[in-house]
Amino acid sequence: MPHCLARGSINLDEYYYVPHISRPGETISSHDFQQRMGGKGFNQAVALALATGGGDQGKVSFYGTVGDDEAGAGLREKLYKKWRIRNDTLVVDPTKATGRAIIQVADDGENSIVLFPGANHSEVIETLEKSWPAGTTHVLLQNEISLASTLKAIASAEKLTTIFNPSPMLSEEEIVEFPWSKIDWLIINQLEAQSLLASFAPEKAPDKIQEMLRDLARQPALSTTRIICTLGADGVLAMVPGIPIVFVPAAQLEGPVVDTTGAGDTFAGYFVAELMSLDRQEVKEAEVIRLLEAATRAAGMCVERAGTVDSMPAAEEVERRFGVSRGR
């Protein structure tokens, strides 16, 4: 049975619901406030658990770090009680505060996020003799933990399928030195694609996203990496070696856009869940389309609801809505 280890961040998120995203120097009032669990690593682990039938199915593990504080204790308890994801792999660093995120959600669904990494940038987990679950086949990474922790996870995943969502994007120096050849699947958005190309080939500045992805795929560092580029409401593109560039439109919505905060993490979790259903590394064009369609359907349902993990649909909800089962 495939098993994915999500190594990433976990935060206490504070949501402020505002008429519009505040501008520099502007003070605005929030008409609602909520606290929730968050962090891209945690968010994607939840999406993955929902997509594979729940954390109790044993297909998902989450490795992360919190502080020795009230927020960390609350996150540790809820990780299993609410989401049924193992909490014995959530390490406490007494020298750090638990990570936080301040999120503005505008009435039109757009969002703005300020991150305080706190314990997410601790490297204490790398000093422990804590082995990954037996049978781990996939490793899912983002960029809200320290780069040293990410590199250690990649090195430990040498014979596994690695998926990397570099959000927030690495610095130019980090991009040039990063071991991209060890990443099997790269999930980025259009702005992140621009940042990558500007670091690898600053002389290139194509207007069209398709040409940008072709230029990225021509870079020696990315020649073997499969690139997935999300375009929000415009759909998603995939650049996979040996396959023509693939485009899949965004899923048809049934209601207005309420909150886009969790869409990217929902996409990543469902994409990896569908990827885990494949029995081999090499993929055909039809399988790439299936991967993208599964992820865009879930992300589309997500933006019709408020919240991040609270907006993520369960697999059976997606199947009822679109009449398609996972793995097909």
Side-chain angles (χ1 to χ4, degrees), residues 4-73:
C4 182
L5 181 143
R7 172 68 176 103
S9 57
I10 183 168
N11 298 325
L12 179 64
D13 287 356
E14 298 182 347
Y15 284 79
Y16 296 85
Y17 292 86
V18 294
H20 60 267
I21 304 301
S22 61
R23 295 179 287 271
E26 181 185 24
T27 299
I28 58 176
S29 295
S30 172
H31 52 72
D32 196 8
F33 167 77
Q34 295 178 354
Q35 283 187 333
R36 302 188 184 120
M37 296 176 70
K40 291 193 73 65
F42 165 76
N43 293 346
Q44 292 183 9
V46 169
L48 184 53
L50 289 169
T52 54
D56 280 342
Q57 298 300 311
K59 297 180 181 178
V60 185
S61 295
F62 174 74
Y63 273 32
T65 311
V66 294
D68 186 14
D69 49 27
E70 184 178 349

Side-chain angles (χ1 to χ4, degrees), residues 270 274 290 293-294 297 314-328:
Y270 267 80
E274 197 69 21
R290 192 187 85 202
E293 286 180 341
R297 291 182 190 119
E316 56 266 25
E317 293 181 86
V318 181
E319 291 171 7
R320 284 197 304 268
R321 168 88 161 261
F322 295 97
V324 178
S325 300
R326 273 198 54 245
R328 292 194 329 188

Side-chain angles (χ1 to χ4, degrees), residues 192-204:
E192 290 159 352
Q194 291 172 345
S195 296
L196 283 175
L197 188 58
S199 298
F200 284 124
E203 74 282 359
K204 295 183 179 294

